[in-house]
Amino acid sequence: IYTIQEGALSIPISLSYRGGGVKLYELPGIIGKGWSLNAGATISRTVYGLPDEYNQGDLDGLQHLSTNEYALRNRILSQVVEANPSSFDDEDVVSQNAAFLRYEKGQLDFANDIFKFCGLGLSGTFIYDENGQITQSSSTIVNFIGHNGINTQCFTLRDKKHITYYFDENGTEMTHTPDPSDKIYVTDYVTDTIKYRSAWHITRMESIYGDYITFDYSEPIYRNQYTGYTQYYVHYTDNEAYFLNDKTKAEHNRHIYYERNLESIQCKSSIVKFHYDNTKCKLDSITVHRKDINTTCIKCYHFIYSEGNLSAINQIGSNNDIIKLYGFDYIESSLAPHFYGIDHCGYYNGKDNKTLMPELNIGMTYYKEADREPSEYY
């Protein structure tokens, strides 16, 4: 759509569409489902189990495990023990029985969260090791500057061209998710949820020549979204029984997001502004301005939607004439919003399942076995 340039720095602003299909409970972005606005860079985080730094009540993230709990984690990752605490007969393993049961209940986190950064030519992943230090993927080409551990609110990255990228608190996003160990659905989203930082957006970039570009974001915007069905089995130690934790109602899996919308990108000579509708959920237009006394608008791009999908991008001329730049058509879908016909990756597979659970040999049958295999027809 447009490129903002300042000396050695360049910010291309573009849209991209992922044509690999839409997951059943995929949440729409600010340009609709499947679309992404590319205008900067983001560090995102995928939480596996609990947030690594989490330490509240009975829940301990990876960074707060005891020596015995770390030993059990290493045993499990090395596939030394069976996934059944009642089968423990080795003395070293028996000593970790309590930790195993806490892990099985979802109270211990044995998996690293994965952090990814992308945009502006940056691409890579990293994790925090058991000492709280960053371990990057082998393909990473950036250095982390002045980093102070997993509880940080900010990141500073520098690439091989000595361009520095700042991701500070003004660009962070928060997520609140239900307690995965709780067998009762959430009733109070202030006290019954796990809160963690889930994304960091770039707020400034600088070159060694003194060029800079800044990014401004909205205040956190509250989103309350249902994210689909969840079912899993929970082991009870008092009678060695299993319980189907059936969270298939909207109130069971409602996640809260505090997101930020990109509002402007500025350099010394120009500013690009992003305008949204009244709900703050849809990008309405992008305008480009000179940094003069009147902040003169030199370009305007307007986004048209039909049934929630992006249908056209128009350019508004100086005389308010409309130039249609792009138009988009979509294959119609009549998929129902909530059902169990979902494959392992979250896409609709057309199966008439009554549950999400595959067959498990645990001595109790609740529903017919679910077919979670993908289908070539959907």
Side-chain angles (χ1 to χ4, degrees), residues 238-275:
D238 54 351
N239 57 8
E240 296 297 321
Y242 285 82
F243 170 77
L244 180 63
N245 195 345
D246 191 0
K247 296 187 174 183
T248 54
K249 296 181 180 179
E251 63 267 27
H252 294 170
N253 286 310
R254 193 166 293 280
H255 290 44
I256 292 176
Y257 304 92
Y258 289 92
E259 302 174 342
R260 294 181 188 263
N261 287 340
L262 177 62
E263 293 189 336
S264 68
I265 304 175
Q266 301 188 47
C267 64
K268 297 176 182 177
S269 59
S270 62
I271 176 172
V272 179
K273 296 183 179 181
F274 300 81
H275 309 274

Side-chain angles (χ1 to χ4, degrees), residues 3 16 34 36 57 90 113 129 142 173 184 193 195 200 204 208 220 282 295 298 314 332-333 363:
T3 298
S16 60
S36 298
D90 182 275
D113 296 344
D129 64 20
V142 301
E173 295 185 350
I184 302 175
T193 55
K195 307 168 183 65
W200 296 255
R204 184 181 176 91
I208 58 175
K282 282 286 189 293
T295 318
I298 57 177
N314 297 336
E332 292 186 6
S333 173

Side-chain angles (χ1 to χ4, degrees), residues 228-240:
Y229 295 165
T230 299
Q231 290 181 317
Y232 52 91
Y233 283 104
V234 177
H235 180 253
Y236 281 93
T237 59
D238 54 351
N239 57 8
E240 296 297 321

